[in-house]
Amino acid sequence: MIFITIFVSGTLIASYSNLEKSYVEKDLQQVLNKVQDDSDSLSSVASDWGPRNDTYNFVIGNQPDYISSNLVPETYDNLRVNFIIITNLKGDIAYAGAYDARTHTMVPVPGALLGQLDRENPLMNMSNPRGESEGILMLSGTPVLVASRPVVHADFSGNPQGVVIMGRYLDQNEMNRLSPGDHVSLKIIPATDASLPAEVTKNLQEEPGSEPEFITPINSSYIAGFALIRDIYGSDAAVVETVQPRDILVQGLTTTMQFILIILGAFALLGVIVIVMIDRFVLSRLGFLSQQVRDLGTAHEPDQRLRLTGDDELSGLATDINLMLEKINETRRDLQHSEVRFRELAEHLPLIFFEMDTVGHLRYINKTGADLFQISDDDITKGVNIRHYLSPENIDRMERGLAAVLSGAPSPGEIYTLKQPDGRVMKAMVHTSLIRREGRVIGFRGVVVDLTERIRLKEQLEENTKLLGGILQASPVGVFRMNPTGNILFINDMFTKITGIPFEDIRGKYWADILPLEDKETLLRTLSEEIRQKKMIGAESRFVHPNGSVYWLYGQVVPIVTSSNVLEGWVGTITDITERKNIELALAESENKYRTLAENSSDILFSTDIKGVITYISPMVNRYGYLAEEVVSRPIERFIYPADREEFLKGLLRELSGGEPIDSSFRMLDKWGYIHWIEEKSTIIVDQNGQVIGVNGVLRDFTDRRRAEDAVMLANKKLNLLNNITRHDILNTITALLGCVDMANATKVPAEREELLGQIKELIRVVQRQIEFTREYQSVGVTAPRWQNIREIVKLVIVNFSGSGIAFADEIEDIEVYADPLLEKVFYNLIDNAIRYGENIGIIRFYYQISDEGLALICEDDGIGIPDNEKERIFERGIGRNTGMGLFLTREILLITGITIRETGRPGCGARFEMLIPNGAFRFVRENTDKKREG
């Protein structure tokens, strides 16, 4: 007993220990799976940003507003990422941003991460446009989930131009989310952490597999699990540690102790009982058994039994006697229960059960039959005959059937017409069998099955089948039926009329054999999957009539399947669609011609419905930043400048109500918010009933022409104003000059005459300067403004100062500006002004900056600068030590096209002239390519 107890206890404790270990392994694996799921999720997020057109344009420098439009704090919050890094093809950082989720602020990207982004880093892999890299990095002892995807077009065309890298810190909050439950304490420890036990490190390094695991008890109350995670370089990165209570083992020890105590107690109790039984009952058993047998023989209770305990011959005898008595009593009860069950079954079944004697008098009928034929117990007692309920023409047939059953033949289950008391007629199948008692036939037992509804449905089905046959033959479409393998079983007359093939020629043939070989093979390849899946199929195909004519047929087939999804065949129709197909081909050819014209026109073609919603737009809308899909189904006024919408809608309403074509001009906003001047010509669309249903129109961009007109108008105004001012100034100067001449002639003092002659000479120089200025200013606005390349203009101007000993730094890209042709004079005046007044100038820089207001071109030198009180006065006419006209003329030339200039330098640190070019008056260009963007 002791050996068994020890063996069972050891087995139970070992089982609980293994169960405890399996639960720890399960929790540990759950954590690793969640980490992998987070890594896959992060890789999926990166895949939404790498293969993306605007990311691609940003990396190659063609979308400067990408960061402000996409990489805002809300983006980091929504994506649950802590940093995003975008590099270009060379590996240089195009963007690097980090986000602190606790303070909801942007923070610097860790330098430890940026230092690892070299060509050897797996995250910088650009060899495969569809490639991806994901895994874990350790940054300053903190594990980070990272993922990267190459920057390519959304359709993965072209070569990668960089990578998008995203990361998420596995901090304590993230660990709490990954924890499998509140009972488990979870943390991630760097693999190089000295606090890791040597035993754990050794076992994890020796464990095979990509994610080695090691489980060890901490003490009698807690058990720990460890798993090694490797980083993206394949090196040991961190160890996942789970600590949880040893509840399972504690429960196992408690259960084992209880088991031992129960076993010991049971054995002790059994020993006592055996001793008492042997001592007290062995000698008295025989007399007790004899007395019970005598009492049983005189008793009349069927349930009375012998009562004798023990395990010897006497108790066995008593048991056998009791079993015999029980069997007798059980047989009696079964007979009683069987009769009750038969009666209950017969009473509750919806069928009619009956018993009758050999001449047809009813002896029993169940409740269903009694209710249907209104038969009472009194009727049965009086001996009502079954013939009373049969129609007269069925009586002879019933008697022949009963005679056959009496002769030993099985009941054929014949159908009879029965009459119910309310006059209704029942069609029923009757099965009978013999009732025997003591070897003698005393009657018949039978069951009646009501077939009235079934026969009615059968007759209705036959009638409907005839009707359907007539409909099929009169159908205006060809109808056919096939077996499961596609062989023809039936066609109607219209099928033959359409195809010219009689039923005798097509019966049993495969349906596709009537098609031309090329069309047959193509159609079977297309429909193979639908046929395999037993789906409804519809398809068009050519068909060659036996007379040689080519037809187009449309066929539709429906599978016939059983309730267990077994295919029994197919039924389908064919329709001659030759006329419709010819119309479709003609329409397609017409549409192709129209589309070719629309796609190659420099103008935008459009259509709207009667509510002004765009229903079609030509692809030329792309140059305004929109895809056709973004414009269609939207109101046309949405794309019109707000101040012009009311006038445009009034014109559209007049056109739709009056029916006359209109011409209008308005301003339109492109996708970047820039304004374009548009001419619109349109005509109404009417339906077949003459009702106006929309508008067709053409949009033509005349922005450059409008700008030129505005610039010339402004220049003319300025010239007229300046001419009036200059004429007034010259007349004033001449008046003063004449006054000095008169005073010089009148004076007799030589010194006074000498002073007056000097004043006359200076006044003459003033007139000379005013006349020279008009010569320069008369060219302003004479020629229409045009697009001019700033880099080329700066290069041309710098040549004029090559001998000045001053260094020039041209940091301007290929930018074109819409300005007066005298723009070159602007840059000449700025450089000349810097050399004249800047004193010790070593370098002049040209560069640009972009803001929401537009593009700022900056000319900056390292001279003495300009005092704050003169920053505005230097642009006034006549201010300066030379002619005083240079900066005044510069400002006037720029203002022709709305460009402003101001001086923003610091006195003592150099002059800084900033020319602000508004949106719409600049654009970036690339060498030997079309313009990529217009400002």
Side-chain angles (χ1 to χ4, degrees):
M1 182 180 72
I2 296 175
F3 175 76
I4 293 174
T5 303
I6 294 174
F7 175 78
V8 172
S9 301
T11 302
L12 286 174
I13 292 173
S15 299
Y16 277 105
S17 179
N18 291 334
L19 179 62
E20 177 186 60
K21 184 177 179 180
S22 68
Y23 270 86
V24 175
E25 289 175 345
K26 180 180 178 182
D27 289 340
L28 199 57
Q29 190 60 45
Q30 185 176 350
V31 173
L32 295 177
N33 290 341
K34 286 184 177 180
V35 171
Q36 184 60 46
D37 291 344
D38 273 11
S39 179
D40 295 340
S41 173
L42 185 62
S43 178
S44 176
V45 172
S47 69
D48 292 336
W49 288 74
R52 186 169 170 176
N53 291 335
D54 52 356
T55 305
Y56 186 95
N57 291 332
F58 167 68
V59 169
I60 65 175
N62 288 338
Q63 194 159 342
D65 59 345
Y66 174 84
I67 295 174
S68 61
S69 300
N70 296 280
L71 300 175
V72 295
E74 288 79 6
T75 301
Y76 288 79
D77 217 4
N78 293 334
L79 298 180
R80 287 182 56 242
V81 296
N82 295 103
F83 59 80
I84 300 175
I85 299 174
I86 304 176
T87 72
N88 59 20
L89 182 60
K90 297 178 181 179
D92 298 329
I93 302 297
Y95 169 79
Y99 177 72
D100 189 338
R102 293 172 299 178
T103 62
H104 302 287
T105 57
M106 300 298 294
V107 295
V109 176
L113 173 61
L114 297 177
Q116 297 185 40
L117 299 182
D118 54 25
R119 287 287 185 177
E120 303 302 321
N121 193 307
L123 296 175
M124 299 295 290
N125 183 10
M126 303 181 219
S127 59
N128 181 5
R130 297 178 182 269
E132 60 180 0
S133 298
E134 61 176 281
I136 287 182
L137 277 179
M138 296 298 295
L139 296 180
S140 302
T142 301
V144 183
L145 285 177
V146 292
S148 72
R149 292 295 294 263
V151 176
V152 294
H153 286 295
D155 59 359
F156 295 94
S157 61
N159 296 321
Q161 296 298 312
V163 295
V164 173
I165 303 172
M166 294 186 175
R168 181 185 301 145
Y169 291 110
L170 289 177
D171 53 16
Q172 191 56 48
N173 289 334
E174 191 68 16
M175 288 297 97
N176 294 338
R177 192 183 64 81
L178 296 176
S179 176
D182 295 336
H183 67 287
V184 179
S185 173
L186 173 65
K187 63 181 177 179
I188 293 185
I189 307 170
T192 58
D193 195 326
S195 65
L196 276 174
E199 178 189 13
V200 173
T201 304
K202 179 181 177 182
N203 280 276
L204 288 177
Q205 292 175 346
E206 293 175 355
E207 187 75 11
S210 59
E211 294 177 346
E213 298 178 0
F214 175 64
I215 298 171
T216 181
I218 299 177
N219 49 43
S220 61
S221 300
Y222 292 92
I223 187 170
F226 301 88
L228 183 62
I229 300 178
R230 295 188 171 91
D231 60 18
I232 60 175
Y233 304 105
S235 303
D236 296 346
V239 174
V240 176
E241 179 191 44
T242 63
V243 178
Q244 56 196 80
R246 305 189 71 181
D247 296 337
I248 295 176
L249 184 61
V250 171
Q251 182 62 40
L253 293 173
T254 303
T255 303
T256 303
M257 184 58 67
Q258 292 173 349
F259 174 79
I260 293 172
L261 294 175
I262 292 171
I263 292 294
L264 293 175
F267 273 100
L269 179 62
L270 181 61
V272 172
I273 293 173
V274 169
I275 292 173
V276 172
M277 288 179 64
I278 292 174
D279 182 60
R280 295 185 59 184
F281 300 108
V282 171
L283 299 177
S284 61
R285 290 169 58 77
L286 184 58
F288 183 68
L289 178 62
S290 299
Q291 181 64 41
Q292 286 191 79
V293 171
R294 286 192 299 271
D295 293 342
L296 187 62
T298 60
H300 298 285
E301 294 294 332
D303 294 330
Q304 186 176 345
R305 298 291 182 268
L306 298 177
R307 299 189 303 274
L308 187 64
T309 60
D311 194 18
D312 54 9
E313 288 79 359
L314 293 176
S315 63
L317 177 61
T319 300
D320 291 340
I321 294 173
N322 287 335
L323 288 175
M324 179 184 67
L325 294 174
E326 184 66 32
K327 189 68 175 177
I328 293 172
N329 199 29
E330 183 178 348
T331 301
R332 181 179 58 81
R333 288 196 302 268
D334 287 346
L335 288 174
Q336 293 174 348
H337 292 163
S338 176
E339 183 178 356
V340 172
R341 283 196 301 270
F342 172 77
R343 291 295 180 182
E344 291 178 349
L345 178 65
E347 291 299 323
H348 291 89
L349 283 176
L351 304 178
I352 301 174
F353 290 93
F354 69 93
E355 292 180 357
M356 64 182 181
D357 61 19
T358 54
V359 295
H361 295 116
L362 284 175
R363 292 290 178 256
Y364 166 77
I365 190 167
N366 67 346
K367 186 176 186 301
T368 301
D371 291 341
L372 286 173
F373 290 94
Q374 300 179 10
I375 300 174
S376 66
D377 293 340
D378 289 341
D379 293 333
I380 293 176
T381 302
K382 293 176 182 178
V384 64
N385 198 284
I386 194 71
R387 293 173 178 80
H388 178 72
Y389 302 100
L390 282 171
S391 61
E393 64 272 15
N394 289 161
I395 293 176
D396 290 341
R397 186 156 54 90
M398 181 205 72
E399 292 176 346
R400 289 194 299 271
L402 293 177
V405 173
L406 279 172
S407 66
S411 175
E414 295 182 291
I415 298 176
Y416 296 95
T417 301
L418 305 180
K419 299 180 297 179
Q420 294 179 254
D422 59 3
R424 289 182 298 168
V425 175
M426 176 190 293
K427 295 285 187 179
M429 178 179 290
V430 180
H431 292 271
T432 57
S433 63
L434 297 175
I435 302 176
R436 298 177 185 272
R437 183 173 296 171
E438 298 178 356
R440 183 171 61 89
V441 176
I442 63 171
F444 299 92
R445 181 180 292 116
V447 58
V448 179
V449 181
D450 187 354
L451 300 180
T452 306
E453 184 65 18
R454 187 183 305 176
I455 292 174
R456 186 187 67 79
L457 292 175
K458 181 180 178 181
E459 292 173 350
Q460 185 176 356
L461 178 62
E462 291 175 352
E463 182 180 352
N464 290 340
T465 302
K466 293 178 182 179
L467 177 62
L468 179 61
I471 293 174
L472 290 177
Q473 293 302 332
S475 173
V477 299
V479 181
F480 60 95
R481 182 176 179 180
M482 304 180 294
N483 63 15
T485 59
N487 300 99
I488 300 294
L489 300 178
F490 165 81
I491 62 173
N492 67 348
D493 293 342
M494 183 57 67
F495 189 100
T496 300
K497 184 176 180 180
I498 292 173
T499 62
I501 304 175
F503 179 54
E504 294 75 16
D505 293 346
I506 199 173
R507 177 190 298 170
K509 286 188 177 181
Y510 187 58
W511 67 272
D513 290 343
I514 69 173
L515 302 176
L517 181 60
E518 179 182 352
D519 297 71
K520 170 185 174 181
E521 294 175 350
T522 302
L523 195 59
L524 289 177
R525 283 195 302 270
T526 304
L527 303 180
S528 59
E529 184 63 21
E530 285 82 356
I531 294 174
R532 187 184 67 80
Q533 295 183 5
K534 295 177 285 191
K535 291 183 176 180
M536 185 178 73
I537 304 168
E540 300 177 355
S541 178
R542 288 188 311 147
F543 170 74
V544 180
H545 197 276
N547 63 12
S549 302
V550 177
Y551 286 75
W552 277 93
L553 302 180
Y554 175 76
Q556 191 168 11
V557 184
V558 178
I560 304 173
V561 295
T562 65
S563 58
S564 57
N565 202 32
V566 176
L567 182 65
E568 290 189 339
W570 304 80
V571 63
T573 62
I574 61 170
T575 308
D576 185 351
I577 60 169
T578 306
E579 183 177 356
R580 191 196 78 190
K581 197 70 177 179
N582 291 336
I583 294 173
E584 289 177 355
L585 292 173
L587 287 174
E589 182 179 358
S590 175
E591 181 181 354
N592 185 54
K593 291 179 180 179
Y594 174 76
R595 189 173 299 279
T596 301
L597 175 63
E599 292 178 352
N600 289 279
S601 173
S602 60
D603 297 332
I604 299 176
L605 308 182
F606 73 96
S607 299
T608 73
D609 61 17
I610 197 168
K611 295 181 179 180
V613 177
I614 297 173
T615 57
Y616 169 77
I617 195 82
S618 64
M620 193 54 64
V621 75
N622 295 348
R623 71 179 183 182
Y624 298 98
Y626 295 107
L627 297 175
E629 294 81 2
E630 297 177 297
V631 176
V632 172
S633 301
R634 297 188 178 183
I636 190 171
E637 67 265 20
R638 177 176 178 177
F639 305 95
I640 297 174
Y641 190 70
D644 297 344
R645 288 176 185 170
E646 182 178 356
E647 189 63 29
F648 172 81
L649 292 175
K650 288 180 180 178
L652 181 62
L653 182 61
R654 287 197 305 273
E655 181 177 20
L656 292 173
S657 58
E660 296 182 2
I662 64 169
D663 297 344
S664 63
S665 62
F666 51 83
R667 287 166 289 182
M668 184 184 80
L669 295 170
D670 64 18
K671 194 169 185 179
W672 301 288
Y674 303 134
I675 298 174
H676 301 265
W677 279 95
I678 302 297
E679 288 181 334
E680 182 255 354
K681 297 179 181 294
S682 59
T683 58
I684 59 172
I685 308 171
V686 296
D687 60 14
Q688 58 186 3
N689 299 320
Q691 297 294 322
V692 177
I693 61 173
V695 170
N696 284 331
V698 179
L699 303 176
R700 176 167 295 173
D701 191 326
F702 72 105
T703 304
D704 289 348
R705 189 185 76 202
R706 179 64 182 238
R707 286 173 177 161
E709 292 172 353
D710 292 344
V712 170
M713 184 181 299
L714 178 61
N716 287 333
K717 289 181 180 179
K718 288 180 175 291
L719 286 173
N720 290 333
L721 177 61
L722 189 63
N723 285 337
N724 291 334
I725 294 172
T726 303
R727 182 171 61 253
H728 181 267
D729 290 347
I730 291 175
L731 289 174
N732 288 340
T733 305
I734 291 174
T735 301
L737 179 62
L738 293 175
C740 289
V741 171
D742 291 339
M743 287 188 292
N745 290 330
T747 185
K748 302 297 183 179
V749 180
E752 290 181 358
R753 182 179 290 113
E754 187 68 25
E755 182 182 354
L756 290 170
L757 289 175
Q759 292 178 5
I760 291 172
K761 188 175 183 180
E762 181 59 32
L763 290 172
I764 292 173
R765 290 194 184 98
V766 171
V767 174
Q768 182 183 14
R769 287 197 301 270
Q770 291 172 340
I771 294 174
E772 289 176 352
F773 172 72
T774 59
R775 182 179 65 227
E776 293 184 358
Y777 197 82
Q778 68 181 359
S779 300
V780 175
V782 173
T783 305
R786 62 172 180 265
W787 291 100
Q788 301 172 66
N789 191 296
I790 299 299
R791 172 178 282 183
E792 294 177 359
I793 289 176
V794 171
K795 287 180 180 179
L796 291 173
V797 172
I798 289 175
V799 172
N800 297 309
F801 302 94
S802 58
S804 63
I806 297 174
F808 293 92
D810 182 6
E811 301 171 11
I812 298 176
E813 296 183 12
D814 275 344
I815 301 173
E816 289 187 351
V817 172
Y818 190 76
D820 191 272
L822 292 177
L823 183 61
E824 181 179 338
K825 182 70 173 176
V826 169
F827 287 92
Y828 182 91
N829 287 344
L830 292 176
I831 296 175
D832 181 68
N833 189 73
I835 294 174
R836 287 180 183 273
Y837 307 116
E839 297 185 4
N840 300 322
I841 291 180
I843 185 171
I844 297 177
R845 291 178 60 216
F846 290 94
Y847 60 96
Y848 72 94
Q849 294 177 346
I850 294 181
S851 67
D852 293 339
E853 297 178 353
L855 176 77
L857 287 176
I858 299 169
C859 173
E860 184 177 81
D861 62 53
D862 58 352
I864 63 172
I866 298 173
D868 290 336
N869 59 352
E870 294 186 9
K871 291 181 180 293
E872 293 296 330
R873 295 185 68 248
I874 57 176
F875 295 105
E876 296 178 6
R877 180 184 173 200
I879 301 300
R881 286 176 283 179
N882 190 22
T883 64
M885 299 297 181
L887 291 179
F888 171 75
L889 185 61
T890 295
R891 184 178 63 178
E892 294 300 310
I893 293 172
L894 295 175
L895 284 175
I896 293 297
T897 52
I899 303 172
T900 61
I901 184 170
R902 60 181 178 176
E903 202 286 323
T904 60
R906 289 190 300 170
C909 297
R912 184 179 186 271
F913 289 93
E914 181 180 311
M915 292 166 278
L916 181 61
I917 304 166
N919 292 324
F922 68 91
R923 63 190 181 191
F924 290 87
V925 296
R926 297 183 63 188
E927 187 176 359
N928 298 326
T929 65
D930 293 331
K931 294 161 187 172
K932 303 298 286 185
R933 175 195 166 198
E934 290 192 5

